Amino acid sequence: MTKYQMLADLRTKRTEARNAIDSILAVAEKHNRSLSSGQQSRFDALSTEVRGYDERIQELEEQIAAEAAAAPMARKYAPSVSVTRNESTYRKDGSHSYFRDLYQSRNGNADAADRLRRNNEERAISTTNGAGGEFAPPMWLEDEYVKFARPGRVTANLIPTEDLPAGTDVLNVPKITGGTGVASQAAQNTGIQQTDITTSSIAAPVVTIAGGQTVSLQLLEQSPLNIDNVILSDLAAAYAQTLDTQVLSGPGTGGQLTGLTTLSGTHSVTYTSASPTLFGAGNLYNQMANAIQQINASRYLPPDAIVMHPRRWAWISTQVDSQNRPAILPHDQGPFNSMGIQTEQTAEGAVGRMFGLPVFLDNNIPTNLGAGTNQDQILIARLADSMLFESHIRAEAFQQTYAQNMSVFVRLYNYASFVTSRYAPSIAVIQGTGLVNPTF
């Protein structure tokens, strides 16, 4: 990637971050209120991003200007050698394999070690946890990691995410458990209400999510094609699915995160029905409204998302009222008096709206719950109340213990921490016999 391309990319990212800031401020201004804690955290994170982009943009502009000023002199005195492209060390269409160089550098190959060092320089390694101290994955691999990982982690991507701080295995978040109080003064010159705040903290352990693959040495050294894309894309997709599954339903034991649906203190809404329907008293639509009102009445702020399995949305889309009018109508047809709208035809991600809330489909919602191991769940929550911390993904290659088989072990791992219990009442989970595997 040339400096001009890097500059254009940074400007695009800065515009996106700036637009996101403007959207947050517009919502607060529309409702004539200050930013919520979640909005403030997102505002601060985006502001930090914008400042970082500004600094990098200024640095690149100065470099480009300096190179342009020096170009005439360079052309006059430099030998007749032209450089047509400034390419990354590791590219999808390149001749060098990242994992092959990891292996060969450990066996004294100076050229491989030099390519790895150049790759680190291209990626501007920082002191952020996971971004330094070892050879980092090549730039194009991290681009592919984002591409492959996002479809598998719908709910995780909806939660405010921060960089995981270095040097800790537990994150502690202060929490006010008892607030102050006010009351009318009984009479002049008499005492006023005085209630002290009580506090505690929330501990969120840092977990390791990792996977590996044994690769033959012949494949690394003799294959005419790089196998990086095949290996890393598969490992990254597995990482994304595992992280999202733990964010949704991790048990909080055995080195796993505590998920949104397994957290104690949340609202549990049971939908029991031998003949499930969307309409009618006590059926699914009413249970969803019940879950929303419980969050409103205890968190004093509304939820911001509904997350369900694709099979549940497909079933809801087939439901009709007593006059055979569908409950969910396509957005393009200008729906009128509908229970919900469908904005996209998708297998994962944003699909429509119900109760004025966006609906997201996530294939990692469990479908083996209940006595018959055939029930799914619907999650309704204020996801802005949770916090997900991730380090930067790492990839390594080792020959130790595999040398006798002419094999190399390639591994990918990352650290994560999930703070779910800041406001447990902002989460509601609908479950029960009414959510068995639907028939169509």
Side-chain angles (χ1 to χ4, degrees):
M1 180 180 291
T2 67
K3 290 182 179 179
Y4 289 99
Q5 292 172 326
M6 294 171 62
L7 187 59
D9 183 59
L10 287 169
R11 286 171 174 166
T12 299
K13 291 179 179 178
R14 185 194 184 282
T15 300
E16 292 174 353
R18 184 67 252 180
N19 289 340
I21 290 174
D22 293 340
S23 298
I24 293 173
L25 296 176
V27 171
E29 183 178 356
K30 178 180 178 181
H31 297 285
N32 195 26
R33 59 173 172 78
S34 59
L35 298 180
S36 66
S37 59
Q39 290 172 327
Q40 185 65 53
S41 298
R42 182 64 176 154
F43 178 87
D44 293 341
L46 288 168
S47 298
T48 301
E49 284 185 22
V50 170
R51 287 193 295 271
Y53 291 143
D54 286 340
E55 292 175 0
R56 184 59 178 147
I57 287 171
Q58 181 180 356
E59 179 183 347
L60 280 175
E61 287 176 340
E62 291 174 354
Q63 290 179 10
I64 291 172
E67 290 172 359
M73 188 67 67
R75 285 194 298 267
K76 183 176 181 180
Y77 293 104
S80 57
V81 176
S82 62
V83 178
T84 58
R85 291 196 299 174
N86 182 20
E87 297 178 326
S88 300
T89 303
Y90 301 106
R91 308 182 307 279
K92 295 182 68 172
D93 58 346
S95 60
H96 301 300
S97 166
Y98 172 67
F99 289 125
R100 184 193 302 148
D101 280 354
L102 275 177
Y103 161 72
Q104 292 183 344
S105 68
R106 296 176 185 273
N107 288 276
N109 189 312
D111 291 338
D114 184 61
R115 284 192 292 271
L116 290 169
R117 280 191 291 271
R118 288 204 309 271
N119 174 65
N120 278 356
E121 294 170 359
E122 290 165 4
R123 294 195 52 230
I125 299 302
S126 68
T127 56
T128 302
N129 185 31
E134 67 284 316
F135 288 118
M139 187 179 298
W140 75 261
L141 283 181
E142 287 221 337
D143 291 342
E144 282 298 296
Y145 158 67
V146 172
K147 174 184 175 183
F148 280 104
R150 287 192 182 279
R153 44 178 291 171
V154 175
T155 304
N157 286 344
L158 297 175
I159 295 168
T161 304
E162 303 287 345
D163 288 337
L164 180 67
T168 182
D169 60 356
V170 177
L171 296 182
N172 291 284
V173 180
K175 180 178 181 179
I176 297 177
T177 56
T180 58
V182 298
S184 297
Q185 187 180 25
Q188 296 182 18
N189 295 320
T190 61
I192 62 172
Q193 177 74 23
Q194 182 177 345
T195 304
D196 294 334
I197 286 178
T198 57
T199 62
S200 66
S201 63
I202 301 168
V206 176
V207 306
T208 304
I209 300 176
Q213 172 73 53
T214 303
V215 183
S216 73
L217 187 60
Q218 292 89 338
L219 183 61
L220 276 177
E221 293 191 327
Q222 297 298 113
S223 173
L225 300 175
N226 287 345
I227 63 167
D228 304 45
N229 187 40
V230 176
I231 296 175
L232 192 61
S233 64
D234 189 61
L235 288 173
Y239 166 79
Q241 181 182 11
T242 300
L243 176 68
D244 193 64
T245 299
Q246 292 191 27
V247 164
L248 281 167
S249 54
T253 59
Q256 299 188 52
L257 303 170
T258 299
L260 295 162
T261 63
T262 54
L263 177 68
S264 62
T266 62
H267 302 292
S268 179
V269 177
T270 302
Y271 173 36
T272 303
S273 177
S275 303
T277 64
L278 184 64
F279 299 93
N283 278 301
L284 184 56
Y285 194 79
N286 301 65
Q287 301 299 341
M288 294 175 71
N290 181 24
I292 292 171
Q293 70 84 20
Q294 289 192 47
I295 294 174
N296 291 341
S298 55
R299 178 62 179 94
Y300 312 116
L301 287 171
D304 55 20
I306 300 173
V307 184
M308 63 180 69
H309 194 274
R311 77 180 192 183
R312 189 54 51 196
W313 177 259
W315 175 80
I316 291 174
S317 300
T318 66
Q319 298 298 292
V320 296
D321 64 12
S322 58
Q323 299 181 31
N324 288 324
R325 293 176 299 188
I328 306 296
L329 296 175
H331 180 267
D332 293 341
Q333 296 180 5
F336 176 75
N337 199 27
S338 63
M339 284 186 168
I341 60 172
Q342 180 158 334
T343 57
E344 304 287 342
Q345 185 58 256
T346 182
E348 292 184 312
V351 69
R353 298 183 69 84
M354 293 182 71
F355 298 97
L357 298 174
V359 179
F360 298 90
L361 306 184
D362 194 330
N363 279 292
N364 292 316
I365 292 280
T367 57
N368 60 348
L369 304 175
T373 64
N374 61 348
Q375 300 173 17
D376 54 73
Q377 298 172 314
I378 297 177
L379 171 68
I380 301 179
R382 186 176 180 83
L383 297 178
D385 283 346
S386 299
M387 301 171 66
L388 178 62
F389 295 85
E390 288 185 86
S391 64
H392 295 279
I393 203 163
R394 314 182 195 192
E396 295 177 330
F398 303 91
Q399 190 186 18
Q400 290 85 346
T401 75
Y402 295 92
Q404 73 275 18
N405 298 325
M406 293 288 288
S407 301
V408 175
F409 184 73
V410 176
R411 74 181 182 191
L412 177 146
Y413 67 101
N414 204 10
Y415 301 122
S417 182
F418 188 31
V419 182
T420 54
S421 57
R422 295 174 69 226
Y423 296 100
S426 69
I427 302 169
V429 181
I430 305 174
Q431 53 196 345
T433 58
L435 295 178
V436 296
N437 190 19
T439 57
F440 296 91

